[in-house]
Every structure is written in C-alpha cells, then in structure tokens.
Amino acid sequence: MNLYCKFLRTFNYLSQNNFMRNFCFIFLFSFSIFGQVQYPKDYFRSPLDIPMQLSGNFGELRFNHIHSGFDCKTQQKEGLKVYAAADGYISRIKISEGGYGKAIYISHPNGYTTVYGHLQSGYGEIEKYIKSAQYKVKSYEIDIALNPNDVVVTKGDIIAVSGNTGGSDGPHLHFEIRDTQSEKIINPMYFGFDAVITDSKRPIINSLWVYPLNGNSIVNESKRPISVNLSLQDDGSYLAEKISATGTIGFGITTSDYDDVSWNANGIFRVQTYLNGKTDFGYQFDTFAFDETRLVNMLIDYGRYKKQGQRVQKLFMKNPYPLSIIKSGSNNGIITVPGNVFQSYRIEIADFSENITKIFIPIQYSPLPANVSEVPITSKYFVKAKNENIFSLENVTVNFPANTFYDDFYMDFGVKKGTVKLHEDIVPAFSNFSITFEDSITPQEDREKMFIGLTSEKRISYYNTKRYKNSFTIYTKYLGEYKLLKDGVPPRIKSDKHIGGKWISDIDELKFTISDALSGIKSYDGYLNGKWILLEYEPKTKKLIHRFSDGIVAEGKNDLKIVITDNVGNSTIFETHFFRSQKP
C-alpha cells in the first residue's frame, strides 16, 4: 500500500511539472498533421432549412463500417426540402435498394463533393431526369455519372425531398463531404458546421477494459479480458483501480458523446493514450477512404460486439492493420509490464469542440497466478492468417486465401446433416474466402434451383452460387453456418388494394407487397398495356410501388402485368386490369 501511495504522489508530480511542459509539444506534434489542411468554413450551407440536429455524426462506429457523414434529423418524418449546399453540378445519381437508397452527388468548383442520401425523390426537373434515366435502362436501380453541364445547381436550390430509402432505420438525411479527386470522406465539422452543432459536454466513459495479450499475460489474476472499476474525481477525470499484471496488456473503452442540440449519444472525435507521459496510441476521425471502413472490425473487440452488442474500442493492435486514422508508436499500444516498476497510463477522449475526458490508470507488476484461466481450445483446425488455409470435410471444402484475417485463431470446423459450421461470426474477415459443396446425388434438373445459404442467426441469407458440374461455390466474408439448399417455391405478390376490374381514378399509385420465402427477390418488372413501367422497391417494407405521375397509364381500361423473379429463377406473374380516368 505504501508503494502504491508513493506511485500516486510520483504520478501527480509528473502531471504538475515536467510532464505538463512536455504535454503541449507532444499533443501538438501528434496531431499537427490534422491541422495542415485549411478547409473553407463558410462555403457550404446546411442541406435542410431546419436547425441542424444529428442522429449520427462523422466517425461513429457502425456495423461493418465507420460512419462517413452526418445523419441529419428530419423531425421524424419524410418530405422535407433538401438544398444544394453550394454551387456546382450534379455529378452522380445512384438509386439502390440498400446503402444510401436514393442519393444525389454534387461536385463543387472548390474541389469537394457533397452527398445527399436516403432521399424520397429528386425535386422538379431533377426528379424528371432521374425518372428518364430509369426508364431508359428499364431499371429502378441506376448509377449514372453526369457531365458538368447536364444539371447545374446554385447554392440553396431545392434538389430533393428527404426520405427513408435504402439502409435507413428511420427518416433522416445522410449528408457527407468528400474530396472530389481522392474521394476520401472528410468530417463536415471542419467546414464550419461546429458553429451550429455546439458542444459543451465532455465525452462519456461507459466502461474500461484491460486485455492480457499473450499466453503468459495475467491481469488482476485473470487470463481473460476484464472490466476495470473507475472512480470519478472532482475535476471530472477518472481514476482507475490499480492494474496488477504480468506480460503484455492492452486497454479498451466504450465511450460516447452528446452535443448541446441533438440530445442523443453520438461517436467521439479523438482518443489519445499516454504511457509514462509519452504519446502511445491514438486515432482521430477526420478523414478516411471508403476501402478502409471495414477495418472498424479490427478497431473494436469484434467478438464481444457480436456476442454482447458492446463496441469496445481497442487502444492497441496485436497485428497492425492499415486504418489511416490511427497514429501509433512502435509498440502499437501494447504495454509490457516489467517487474517491480510502477507505470502511469492515461487515456484522453475528446470531441470536436475539445471537451476532454481523462482516465488515469496505475499499472504495477504482480507475480500472482491466474484464478481465471484462458478460454479452452477445443479445435484442431488452426488458421494462420498470413498463409493460405484449406480445410475439407465430407463434401465441403473451405479455402481461406492468405491475409483473409489479421489474427491467427483456432477454428471450430465441422459438417453435420449437410450443414458446415465455420466457427462463429466472432472473427472478422477482410477479403472473400470460398466455400464449395460437392453434390452428385441431386438430379441435374434440380441443380439450377440450388444455392448455398448462410443459415446463422435463425434466418437464411442467399449467396450468389457458382455451379460447375457437381460443385457449388460461393464467396463470402462471414464465418457461420452454411448449407446447400433448394428453392422450388416462386415469390409471392399481393395487391395492397383490390383493383381488378375497378375504376381507381381516386388513387395516385399502385402498391403491392412482395416476398420470397427462401432465396429472396432478384428482379421485378411491370407493364401497363405492354409498356414497361417503373416499380420502386423498398425491401424494409417489402413494398413495390408504381406512381401514375410517370404518365404511362392510359385513359379508361389498362392491362397490368407484373413479373417477380427470385434468385434461383422461380417466377410469379401477376395480371389484372383496371380502369382510370385522367380527367380532373
């Protein structure tokens, strides 16, 4: 106890004297690279005409990605006008069932591009342009590049209507800013939006974790990661309970931040750690490339997230990975605990407004043995991340190319009743690996209706399956349970309103509910009086919609035909006729 008190006195002395003189230099040096780019502060306006509030900020950690912009609240409803943030031209229009849904990209003469996602529709002539492009290629989903003179916009022009399309969990506008040339995404706060999204609150620390990082490491008598108790100090910082350890260790945190106007938890901006007063490991959400974003699964404790839904942000790298936001020394955040030496470790979490929360952690050597052992190894299949790994059992072969993973691990691998178990989805993969089933029993005529599906999590996920003679192969990035399945059942389609043989002059659209029980919907095509019509599909609600404003419907009788096809080629045809008057 006396030794621990002596450590705290020494720790406080360092904090108040030499360390504080060195801190400013270290801090400025660590992040001077981020201050070298001068972004225009008053160039972009808000894309909405309501006070800006965020349901998600830049850098927030999401499933399989780092959030690349602002999720602007739209008062929990669709239909708000969306404005061009600055002068420019619409350079891209992408309409998709998932992702950003309906999205518009505007390139600006200052070298940046703004993106507006989850739109309900374009506005005015822009919506006409979108519809024209969709009818030209006879597809709801489009991805088109525009020339600088095709659709020119002025700052403040209405370009769209806000919505809830694509991979959106509720009505909002996704807004982001990219470097036009490199396509790197940039934190919109750098462009002056911090003036309207004020923040006077420190980030919140929800939990602190410590990890033993090799077979000889023990932390507080445990060979497994453990949570660490924190005590709130008078100045708003936290003092962690003493860490007694041997071997190498690392830390992780769960944290969030609140601003003054949005009233919900968002992500933090920066984390920096210090070991004995020297910068150790950190990252800052300022800019990154899209091809890096899946590396969020290495930044967090992926296994804990998949099992418990808790995103622990790791402050170390056992095996380095190329996420550009990370700035680390040679030890990559890994702490070696020497005998009979106290060490001081500090974590600082900051938001964009430089509100900072600090955690002080005392670390000392301890020779005590572990009371909590490692998770026992029950598999003989060892995956060496840097090598190619091929495993075969019964009629299944799995091929992991070199560098599919960043970590080595023992894989739970087995085949039972036609299902292959590939561990659990608790180890992230970063490139595709293949799974091949051999089947010489199924008759040839049934093979076109077969596919390999992921059957984990009590549902079936279709994977595009390549067939060659007796072999069925898919490429995937997910561990889990897979099975070779047959789908002989066609999709279902039902009109939301009975229209057969009726006059429907009082409605503006046709709406249908479609579904497929196994392999999933692949395509949908509609025809009015033999002419192709645009059907908008929203997978979240399983709704298929045609709007009469497209101008295809005829006066009087109309013959309607809709063809729905699933991923293995089963089709359903819906046919009826209705009457409609176009006259007021």
Side-chain angles (χ1 to χ4, degrees):
M1 186 67 185
N2 290 335
L3 191 59
Y4 180 46
C5 292
K6 182 179 179 181
F7 160 75
L8 289 179
R9 288 196 298 271
T10 304
F11 189 90
N12 290 332
Y13 174 80
L14 289 171
S15 297
Q16 296 169 7
N17 293 276
N18 295 334
F19 170 71
M20 289 307 296
R21 284 195 294 270
N22 293 330
F23 167 75
C24 291
F25 169 77
I26 294 169
F27 179 84
L28 290 173
F29 175 78
S30 298
F31 290 104
S32 63
I33 185 172
F34 300 118
Q36 292 174 0
V37 179
Q38 297 298 314
Y39 298 102
K41 296 291 185 182
D42 301 313
Y43 192 86
F44 296 113
R45 58 153 287 169
S46 170
L48 298 169
D49 251 355
I50 58 173
M52 183 174 277
Q53 295 179 311
L54 303 183
S55 59
N57 65 346
F58 185 91
E60 193 172 87
L61 306 184
R62 300 279 182 88
F63 176 66
N64 274 335
H65 71 283
I66 301 170
H67 193 234
S68 58
F70 285 170
D71 280 347
C72 303
K73 294 183 180 181
T74 56
Q75 301 174 335
Q76 299 180 327
K77 62 185 179 183
E78 300 183 43
L80 274 62
K81 294 176 180 177
V82 179
Y83 299 87
D87 295 353
Y89 73 96
I90 295 180
S91 54
R92 183 185 185 190
I93 296 171
K94 184 175 183 180
I95 313 292
S96 58
E97 295 171 4
Y100 292 169
K102 297 182 180 181
I104 291 174
Y105 299 65
I106 300 177
S107 292
H108 305 281
N110 66 343
Y112 298 102
T113 294
T114 50
V115 182
Y116 312 77
H118 306 304
L119 305 171
Q120 182 187 91
S121 66
Y123 185 83
E125 293 300 314
I126 296 172
E127 178 64 7
K128 290 180 181 178
Y129 190 98
I130 293 171
K131 286 287 181 73
S132 175
Q134 290 172 316
Y135 272 95
K136 184 177 180 180
V137 298
K138 295 183 179 180
S139 173
Y140 170 64
E141 293 193 304
I142 58 172
D143 188 358
I144 55 176
L146 284 70
N147 296 316
N149 296 322
D150 287 343
V151 184
V152 177
V153 296
T154 301
K155 185 176 184 177
D157 282 352
I158 304 171
I159 60 166
V161 176
S162 70
N164 185 29
T165 57
S168 169
D169 292 329
H172 72 277
L173 174 69
H174 178 84
F175 175 71
E176 66 183 54
I177 302 176
R178 304 180 181 182
D179 181 282
T180 303
Q181 195 71 24
S182 69
E183 295 190 346
K184 280 194 171 185
I185 323 103
I186 304 165
N187 193 331
M189 284 293 197
Y190 282 115
F191 294 86
F193 288 103
D194 56 327
V196 293
I197 307 173
T198 57
D199 186 352
S200 61
K201 303 170 184 175
R202 292 176 178 174
I204 293 174
I205 301 299
N206 299 309
S207 65
L208 173 68
W209 292 81
V210 59
Y211 291 75
L213 296 182
N214 62 38
N216 299 319
S217 299
I218 301 173
V219 176
N220 291 4
E221 300 180 38
S222 173
K223 282 181 166 287
R224 303 186 191 185
I226 58 171
S227 61
V228 180
N229 293 325
L230 298 173
S231 298
L232 180 63
Q233 306 300 294
D234 292 339
D235 63 356
S237 66
Y238 290 87
L239 179 62
E241 65 175 301
K242 180 174 57 178
I243 302 298
S244 299
T246 184
T248 56
I249 64 174
F251 287 90
I253 54 171
T254 61
T255 180
S256 58
D257 187 51
Y258 288 79
D259 60 44
D260 296 340
V261 297
S262 302
W263 315 115
N264 54 269
N266 285 313
I268 52 91
F269 174 63
R270 186 179 68 246
V271 179
Q272 182 62 53
T273 68
Y274 302 84
L275 181 61
N276 301 321
K278 296 181 179 180
T279 53
D280 186 46
F281 183 93
Y283 46 89
Q284 179 168 298
F285 295 102
D286 51 5
T287 180
F288 59 88
F290 273 105
D291 59 5
E292 299 179 71
T293 190
R294 190 177 174 85
L295 289 169
V296 66
N297 293 332
M298 289 300 293
L299 183 64
I300 66 172
D301 182 338
Y302 186 77
R304 177 169 293 276
Y305 167 66
K306 295 299 291 189
K307 284 189 170 183
Q308 280 123 12
Q310 185 182 39
R311 286 190 178 94
V312 177
Q313 302 179 35
K314 295 187 294 186
L315 305 179
F316 61 90
M317 295 186 291
K318 284 185 68 175
N319 296 299
Y321 51 92
L323 183 55
S324 63
I325 62 171
I326 292 176
K327 309 299 173 187
S328 177
S330 58
N331 65 339
N332 292 316
I334 296 173
I335 302 164
T336 301
V337 183
N340 299 319
V341 175
F342 275 109
Q343 297 188 86
S344 63
Y345 187 74
R346 187 172 84 256
I347 305 170
E348 294 194 356
I349 303 100
D351 58 30
F352 192 85
S353 298
E354 286 302 321
N355 301 301
I356 298 174
T357 299
K358 302 177 183 179
I359 307 173
F360 296 92
I361 307 168
I363 304 170
Q364 72 171 13
Y365 172 80
S366 171
L368 293 176
N371 289 325
V372 179
S373 62
E374 295 177 272
V375 177
I377 297 170
T378 58
S379 171
K380 64 180 180 180
Y381 298 98
F382 186 67
V383 177
K384 190 75 173 175
K386 292 184 178 180
N387 300 339
E388 180 182 26
N389 298 265
I390 300 175
F391 303 107
S392 293
L393 270 179
E394 297 184 13
N395 65 324
V396 180
T397 300
V398 184
N399 187 341
F400 298 108
N403 302 311
T404 299
F405 306 96
Y406 280 100
D407 291 328
D408 301 341
F409 66 101
Y410 281 94
M411 183 181 67
D412 186 3
F413 176 56
V415 178
K416 185 177 181 180
K417 294 182 179 179
T419 298
V420 57
K421 182 175 183 181
L422 292 178
H423 207 62
E424 297 176 76
D425 183 23
I426 56 174
V427 180
F430 296 92
S431 59
N432 283 323
F433 59 89
S434 66
I435 305 171
T436 298
F437 281 75
E438 298 289 337
D439 181 0
S440 58
I441 299 174
T442 302
Q444 185 66 35
E445 60 269 21
D446 291 338
R447 294 184 183 183
E448 291 185 358
K449 303 298 182 183
M450 296 178 69
F451 70 96
I452 299 173
L454 174 64
T455 62
S456 304
E457 300 180 355
K458 298 181 180 180
R459 63 187 180 92
I460 295 171
S461 299
Y462 169 84
Y463 278 82
N464 184 34
T465 304
K466 298 182 181 298
R467 306 176 190 90
Y468 181 72
K469 295 183 179 180
N470 296 336
S471 297
F472 300 81
T473 300
I474 64 167
Y475 296 89
T476 178
K477 288 187 177 77
Y478 294 96
L479 297 172
E481 295 184 357
Y482 290 85
K483 190 171 186 177
L484 185 60
L485 300 160
K486 177 186 173 183
D487 181 3
V489 181
R492 299 180 63 184
I493 177 169
K494 181 182 178 182
S495 176
D496 285 17
K497 185 175 183 179
H498 183 59
I499 61 174
K502 294 192 173 185
W503 284 88
I504 55 171
S505 305
D506 59 336
I507 63 175
D508 298 325
E509 62 188 22
L510 298 173
K511 186 178 290 188
F512 305 88
T513 301
I514 64 175
S515 62
D516 188 77
L518 199 54
S519 62
I521 302 294
K522 180 179 182 180
S523 65
Y524 39 88
D525 286 287
Y527 305 88
L528 267 180
N529 308 313
K531 294 182 179 179
W532 186 89
I533 57 172
L534 176 65
L535 295 168
E536 298 194 5
Y537 180 43
E538 178 48 69
K540 292 193 295 289
T541 59
K542 300 182 179 179
K543 297 299 182 185
L544 201 62
I545 299 172
H546 172 71
R547 294 182 172 85
F548 290 134
S549 58
D550 288 4
I552 308 299
V553 67
E555 183 73 21
K557 183 182 178 183
N558 286 266
D559 294 314
L560 174 67
K561 178 181 178 181
I562 298 176
V563 182
I564 311 295
T565 306
D566 67 19
N567 279 297
V568 295
N570 300 306
S571 292
T572 296
I573 299 176
F574 175 93
E575 291 184 285
T576 190
H577 73 275
F578 61 86
F579 300 89
R580 179 176 171 83
S581 175
Q582 311 305 314
K583 298 176 182 178

